[in-house]
Amino acid sequence: NLGAYIASVYQIGRPLTRGEAMLFQAYVSFDATILQLFYSFGGAGNVCVLGTGKEKDFGLVTRVIRESQVAATFMVPSYYG
């Protein structure tokens, strides 16, 4: 399945399972957008969308991860520089 393929290519470990979520926080023009969306859609997972510019609010990110059962996300250093 697509989720397993993406997990193997990016060495994530495993596809998402039902009830788990991918935290979507990439800008639409960034290549991680495709990875974050298809990793979720390829398995049985959900996508949890973090609003634009909110990735720098660590308190919010932590709360969203906890409350939305986020199992994976991809963060890049430029978010925090």
Side-chain angles (χ1 to χ4, degrees), residues 25-36:
Q25 56 182 351
Y27 295 100
V28 175
S29 61
F30 188 54
D31 58 350
T33 300
I34 301 300
L35 175 61
Q36 289 181 347

Side-chain angles (χ1 to χ4, degrees), residues 18 47 49:
R18 192 165 309 281
V47 176
V49 178

Side-chain angles (χ1 to χ4, degrees), residues 24-75:
F24 181 81
Q25 56 182 351
Y27 295 100
V28 175
S29 61
F30 188 54
D31 58 350
T33 300
I34 301 300
L35 175 61
Q36 289 181 347
L37 290 175
F38 283 99
Y39 180 65
S40 300
F41 298 150
N46 301 312
V47 176
C48 179
V49 178
L50 191 62
T52 303
K54 307 240 188 229
E55 69 279 350
K56 295 180 181 179
D57 181 345
F58 294 116
L60 174 65
V61 171
T62 302
R63 191 174 76 244
V64 168
I65 287 172
R66 190 176 318 116
E67 292 174 0
S68 300
Q69 298 179 13
V70 170
T73 190
F74 295 91
M75 297 179 177

